[in-house]
Amino acid sequence: ATGAVRANGSEVGGLVGRLDHEKNRYRYRNPTPYSLKNASATGNVTTDGRYVGGLVGRHRFAKAVTNVSADGDVTADGDRVGGLIGMLREGDIRDATASGDVESSSAGYVGGLIGYYYDRGGGQTLERLSASGEVTGDGRYVGGLIGRAYSRQESDLNQAAATGTVTSTEGQVGGLVGRTTRVTITEAYATGDVTGDRYVGGLLGYKTSQNSDITDAYTAGNVTGSEYTGGFIGRHRGSIQTSYRDTAGPTVTEAGTVVTGQAIGRNRGSGSPTGLTTTDMTTAVAPDTMAGFDFTTDTGTWKTDSEIGYPVFQWQDVRELSANSSVSGPVTAGDQVTVELTVTDKNGDPAADEQIRNIVVESEFDGELLTQGSATVDSTGTLTLDIPEGALQTADGSHTLTIDSP
């Protein structure tokens, strides 16, 4: 879906306001729950109600949500507001992103991706999620990725990222999640500044579960609160393992006093993140200083260099790349066609060995999808793409190829 959405009321989304797979006394009315896959929305969403999202306002009882995105600001006056989904009740969610600013002017449960994730059954997986917009709420449970994540029985949040600033006038505010209950976090980061009242943390504002661990996570933003303020977590239970935070650049401020050494505002658990310098975390030495993080090329989890800065996930496209090709010539319908592109970074230097993970090639002549997949730029900055046999079915006219990497 493309275009702005303006409404008065609740359950409003850039694609759909409400998606429901109703339950009837513990049994699905339809024995095969549906999934939401390969969906996107571009445009601002504005309303004065609750349950508001850049893609879906309210989503209940889906089997899975996969490969979805929203690009646009979301503004509401109620709770359960997210850059992608206002409230997601149950169901796995994978490969989801949101890039717009999110704001609720009078309520909480606000997140850069999801306002409120509620899992009554347990055992769900939230994986490869990211949000990059600024998040602003006027209540509890505000997070850069998720406002509140609740699971009745343990669920997993894996490879999750938030980079926007997070601000609320109340408490339980986090750079990644405002409050978690029975959610285990593995491989996550938050780099935005966080401001709130009580229980404010660079990664999590308030963590309630003793048996839910945090492993392989880092933070790198300023954190400001009035009480129980931590550079990593505001209120902690459970354990922290193999995690880090930047203690050289960002500051932690509690009730007006700088307490940068304070990783955890109120500690009822075990473990603590290791403090590192900005250089330790943003340059080529990061694979050595951030021990335990898997930086193995292509098969690992993380990547970094001086242009990327703080580590990101290998599936994230964070470089500013451009490509051009001036090659032209006759083509016979049905033949394989090879296209070579010169790929450069934002400084104009060859983007040598960069992996482009999602390439789409279309013909502007007839709109046909010619090929889709991934490829790696060679050591000279050249990217070679093969249009397979049979893809070009029309020989008439001039085919201009559109090459995109969403």
Side-chain angles (χ1 to χ4, degrees), residues 259-404:
V259 289
T260 298
Q262 189 165 289
I264 301 171
R266 187 176 187 182
N267 197 350
R268 294 292 183 268
S270 63
S272 184
T274 300
L276 297 175
T277 68
T278 306
T279 300
D280 288 337
M281 300 176 69
T282 61
T283 65
V285 301
D288 297 320
T289 57
M290 302 179 75
F293 280 32
D294 187 356
F295 286 91
T296 306
T297 303
D298 295 336
T299 61
T301 300
W302 303 91
K303 63 180 178 179
T304 192
D305 59 30
S306 58
E307 183 182 340
I308 292 174
Y310 292 105
V312 298
F313 299 119
Q314 292 193 12
W315 50 265
Q316 290 185 283
D317 297 320
V318 297
R319 287 182 184 268
E320 297 178 18
L321 301 179
S322 60
N324 66 80
S325 175
S326 59
V327 178
S328 62
V331 175
T332 302
D335 282 359
Q336 175 179 309
V337 178
T338 298
V339 179
E340 290 189 348
L341 304 173
T342 300
V343 184
T344 56
D345 61 22
K346 64 182 180 180
N347 298 317
D349 299 322
D353 303 317
E354 180 72 21
Q355 185 173 12
I356 313 298
R357 297 179 180 275
N358 188 9
I359 300 171
V360 177
V361 183
E362 296 179 344
S363 170
E364 288 188 357
F365 177 74
D366 53 15
E368 290 295 317
L369 175 66
L370 302 180
T371 189
Q372 184 172 4
S374 61
T376 301
V377 181
D378 70 15
S379 59
T380 68
T382 300
L383 178 66
T384 302
L385 302 176
D386 289 325
I387 311 301
E389 291 184 9
L392 280 171
Q393 294 295 325
T394 305
D396 298 332
S398 175
H399 286 268
T400 300
L401 303 185
T402 300
I403 301 172
D404 189 22

Side-chain angles (χ1 to χ4, degrees), residues 214-225:
I214 299 174
T215 306
D216 297 353
Y218 79 85
T219 61
N222 299 308
V223 181
T224 303

Side-chain angles (χ1 to χ4, degrees), residues 164-178:
T165 61
V166 181
T167 305
S168 179
T169 57
E170 294 193 24
Q172 304 191 47
V173 182
L176 189 75
V177 185

